Amino acid sequence: MSQSEGYDINRSVDELLRFSADQLKSISRIRLIGYGLLLLALFDFFQTVIPPQFMNAAWELQTMGALMERIPVPLLGLGLVFFGEDYNRSGLESLVVKVLSWLSLLLAILCFLLVPLGIVDSVRVNNQNTQEIAAQADRQLAQLEQIEQQVGGGSQADLQNLATELNRLGLPVDTTNPEQLRGEVLARIPQAREQVQQQARQLQSNRRLALLESSTKWILAAIISAVLFLMIWRGTAWAR
């Protein structure tokens, strides 16, 4: 072997060692970022679920939505922690990644369980919205019924108050002509009833649409997240 060949071999070995050292530093930084993201995800989780309000459909659905909005953080954190597989893992870290591997399976199961919970809670919230809007409409219709009954034997001052109430409901009444006030108030009552019912139907439609959009997004996110967590678990058999 010539001197030049020996020099080339030594230089190649030095470059390989330097590359391995740089690669090790990069992998360590990537894994450290992953652990940091997992800690941040843990803080978000406790902030989201505390205080718990189980059996409250609205709280359960909103909590599910908040968790699904934050689910990319633990997914990315796990991906970074498992980067490089078992390369240069210490004994303690080998135990940690083993726990995290099984945690991935647990998270996959929990995400799958959120799917039927999200569906059931969406139905419950929609029913609650329907009852709330119907109760509000019934109260307004009862007010209109009371107004109609009071118009017949009410004084001019009573009519002025009733006209003010109709104005508050969004049905302007001319109070400057006392002779026509009673008839105008009575004429406005059917229109007011129709307006209350129409507003109730529109409000219910808007809430149902918003609920459908949100719940569909969160349920799909739960399914996708479950599949991804399951893939992480299957891909980290080396850690178990």
Side-chain angles (χ1 to χ4, degrees), residues 5-238:
E5 290 177 345
Y7 175 76
D8 291 339
I9 293 175
N10 291 332
R11 186 174 63 180
S12 299
V13 172
D14 291 339
E15 291 177 351
L16 180 60
L17 292 175
R18 186 166 56 253
F19 173 77
S20 298
D22 293 341
Q23 185 183 39
L24 179 59
K25 290 180 181 179
S26 298
I27 292 177
S28 299
R29 283 193 294 266
I30 290 174
R31 291 172 179 172
L32 183 60
I33 293 173
Y35 286 120
L37 290 176
L38 291 179
L39 284 176
L40 292 175
L42 185 63
F43 296 154
D44 277 341
F45 172 77
F46 284 115
Q47 183 182 16
T48 302
V49 302
I50 295 176
Q53 300 179 34
F54 298 114
M55 307 307 295
N56 183 331
W59 178 85
E60 291 178 352
L61 190 61
Q62 289 298 323
T63 300
M64 173 186 174
L67 292 175
M68 291 302 101
E69 296 290 344
R70 294 166 172 79
I71 204 67
V73 176
L75 281 169
L76 180 59
L78 287 172
L80 295 179
V81 166
F82 291 130
F83 182 75
E85 298 189 346
D86 58 349
Y87 176 70
N88 197 45
R89 303 273 187 183
S90 64
L92 179 60
E93 189 177 9
S94 297
L95 178 61
V96 172
V97 294
K98 180 178 181 179
V99 173
L100 291 178
S101 178
W102 285 110
L103 178 63
S104 301
L105 177 61
L106 177 61
L107 292 174
I109 295 173
L110 291 177
C111 287
F112 276 125
L113 293 177
L114 286 178
V115 175
L117 178 65
I119 296 174
V120 172
D121 282 342
S122 297
V123 174
R124 292 174 60 194
V125 170
N126 181 67
N127 292 336
Q128 291 174 2
N129 289 339
T130 301
Q131 294 174 1
E132 178 183 343
I133 294 172
Q136 181 179 358
D138 289 341
R139 287 193 297 269
Q140 293 178 339
L141 291 174
Q143 290 177 352
L144 291 174
E145 183 71 22
Q146 185 179 8
I147 291 174
E148 188 175 26
Q149 293 175 358
Q150 292 175 352
V151 167
S155 63
Q156 187 62 37
D158 293 334
L159 291 177
Q160 292 283 355
N161 293 333
L162 296 177
T164 301
E165 182 66 19
L166 284 177
N167 288 329
R168 187 185 65 82
L169 293 175
L171 295 171
V173 176
D174 184 12
T175 60
T176 59
N177 190 340
E179 297 180 358
Q180 297 182 0
L181 182 57
R182 190 186 306 273
E184 188 172 357
V185 170
L186 290 175
R188 291 287 186 175
I189 296 297
Q191 182 181 356
R193 287 198 183 97
E194 178 61 27
Q195 183 172 335
V196 168
Q197 294 172 351
Q198 183 178 359
Q199 289 177 347
R201 289 191 296 268
Q202 185 63 41
L203 180 59
Q204 175 60 28
S205 177
N206 293 340
R207 286 193 179 183
R208 184 183 292 114
L209 179 60
L211 177 62
L212 180 62
E213 292 177 348
S214 298
S215 60
T216 301
K217 173 186 174 182
W218 297 333
I219 289 171
L220 291 177
I223 296 174
I224 295 173
S225 300
V227 172
L228 292 176
F229 280 125
L230 188 60
M231 291 175 61
I232 291 175
W233 175 76
R234 293 186 60 183
T236 55
W238 52 267

